[in-house]
Amino acid sequence: MLRATAYKVHTYSHTTMGFIEDIEDFPNQYDYSLQFYGRYYRPEYTTIVLVGDLKRDDALGMVKKYFGDWKRGSYVPNIPAEPDQTAPREGHVDWPSDTLPLIYVAFRVPRISDEKKDKAALDLLAPIAFGENSDLYQKLC
């Protein structure tokens, strides 16, 4: 609900798995799942992490053996920019059983940029202003 309320056109409106309707329809989406796999399960989106008592040459040999023939993809996603929010938004989820109330208050922040420092500055400020050691957190708890 939080994502769907905050984002109206950007892909952040759903989780990595997709909208719940998409997840529930997975049995009917086999062809699309192959297309999705071909687009995103590519070496340019992959990080290989090797842990343990390894010798460099042996580890490199295994990586080349299992991933050496994997070819880079050519798909370029078209992700629409989210328009500026001009008014407050709110959403509500009815829960089928008794539960304690839960409130999320969220703000969209600037996206990562090589030219602007806004996002990096907010990343540094967030734990100071809102983290478990912040004055606000201590007063609310």
Side-chain angles (χ1 to χ4, degrees):
M1 176 58 75
L2 178 63
R3 290 171 178 258
T5 304
Y7 296 97
K8 297 302 178 187
V9 300
H10 194 279
T11 58
Y12 285 164
S13 63
H14 59 75
T15 66
T16 304
M17 292 282 296
F19 294 108
I20 190 67
E21 301 84 30
D22 297 331
I23 296 167
E24 290 169 346
D25 196 42
F26 274 176
N28 301 314
Q29 299 293 328
Y30 180 71
D31 290 337
Y32 178 73
S33 70
L34 293 176
Q35 183 182 41
F36 184 90
Y37 182 85
R39 286 178 180 170
Y40 296 108
Y41 286 75
R42 312 298 313 170
E44 62 268 27
Y45 302 125
T46 303
T47 301
I48 298 173
V49 178
L50 304 172
V51 179
D53 186 15
L54 302 165
K55 291 189 172 58
R56 181 192 177 280
D57 292 339
D58 294 341
L60 189 55
M62 285 193 306
V63 170
K64 286 181 178 179
K65 177 181 177 182
Y66 294 107
F67 297 99
D69 292 336
W70 204 10
K71 302 295 182 220
R72 184 176 180 86
S74 60
Y75 178 75
V76 178
N78 179 16
I79 301 173
E82 184 71 24
D84 290 339
Q85 184 172 330
T86 58
R89 297 179 187 167
E90 63 180 57
H92 177 80
V93 176
D94 287 319
W95 206 252
S97 61
D98 290 338
T99 184
L100 294 173
L102 178 63
I103 296 174
Y104 285 105
V105 178
F107 299 90
R108 286 199 330 243
V109 297
R111 66 177 177 254
I112 294 174
S113 169
D114 293 333
E115 292 86 31
K116 297 179 181 178
K117 299 178 183 176
D118 298 358
K119 175 73 169 83
L122 287 170
D123 285 347
L124 289 171
L125 178 64
I128 296 167
F130 305 107
E132 289 185 19
N133 293 328
S134 72
D135 289 342
L136 177 62
Y137 186 94
Q138 295 298 317
K139 288 178 184 176
L140 292 174
C141 290

